[in-house]
Amino acid sequence: MTGFPLEAIEKAPLAELRKLQLQRLQWSLHHAYEHVPHTRKKFEQAGVKPEDCRTLADLPKFPFTTKADLRETYPFGMFAVPMDKIVRIHASSGTTGKPTVVGYTAKDIDTWTQVMARSIRAARSTDGTVALPTTTWTSSSSPIARAVTSSISTTATSLPSAPRR
């Protein structure tokens, strides 16, 4: 089996990985607090501010976003970026209540693409591996579907050809 080179962070010492996780968590908490009034209100109700997150162990102090939050702020109240930065919206059908809406930026889709490519590699994808996307967003018009398909294609074409059976 031909492998793919690991990214630097995948080979990093645990302390370095934890440091990166903390930096990203702190950024996310601060960004949501500053840009989503509903999140700010929930933080205030819980008695926390973003700077209260000093270690990863502090995460349980912070309220999590729930489906009820998404429904309460329907349709776009949980978006932490301006609408002109949103390139894709996914919404539930609302069969069990008010629909839930999630917006994605171009960077979100790029991040998802990278996550899928890394997941495919972690699953030991080899030349000849066949992937069949089966989720509801596999329409060819979906940027996320195209991104994942692109990741699969890039992964597959990076591998040497396998003998035909």
Side-chain angles (χ1 to χ4, degrees):
M1 177 177 91
T2 303
F4 298 101
L6 296 176
E7 296 175 29
I9 195 61
E10 294 176 292
K11 299 182 283 185
L14 186 58
E16 185 180 336
L17 179 60
R18 296 287 184 242
K19 180 180 175 185
L20 178 63
Q21 289 172 331
L22 179 60
Q23 289 170 347
R24 289 179 176 177
L25 174 61
Q26 290 170 327
W27 183 91
S28 294
L29 292 171
H30 179 75
H31 188 75
Y33 184 83
E34 291 298 323
H35 298 282
V36 183
H38 186 81
T39 298
R40 179 186 289 263
K41 181 176 132 187
K42 285 185 71 168
F43 279 25
E44 289 169 353
Q45 289 171 345
V48 294
K49 291 188 175 185
E51 55 269 16
D52 294 333
C53 182
R54 293 179 189 91
T55 72
L56 293 173
D58 291 330
L59 181 58
K61 298 176 185 176
F62 292 84
F64 282 82
T65 300
T66 65
K67 187 174 259 193
D69 294 324
L70 296 173
R71 287 181 173 149
E72 185 178 328
T73 60
Y74 178 84
F76 309 125
M78 294 298 288
F79 287 13
V81 298
M83 284 299 292
D84 64 349
K85 299 292 183 195
I86 301 294
V87 298
R88 178 74 176 174
I89 292 176
H90 287 183
S92 71
S93 63
T95 56
T96 60
K98 195 181 290 183
T100 56
V101 178
V102 180
Y104 296 92
T105 65
K107 185 175 184 307
D108 293 332
I109 292 173
D110 183 59
T111 298
W112 183 252
T113 300
Q114 297 305 315
V115 167
M116 290 297 99
R118 287 173 71 180
S119 297
I120 292 165
R121 184 183 63 226
R124 303 179 72 87
S125 177
T126 62
D127 191 26
T129 299
V130 176
L132 177 61
T134 59
T135 61
T136 57
W137 49 261
T138 56
S139 160
S140 62
S141 64
S142 163
I144 293 179
R146 287 195 310 269
V148 172
T149 303
S150 174
S151 294
I152 293 168
S153 298
T154 301
T155 301
T157 57
S158 299
L159 294 165
S161 297
R164 291 260 182 210
R165 295 178 199 210

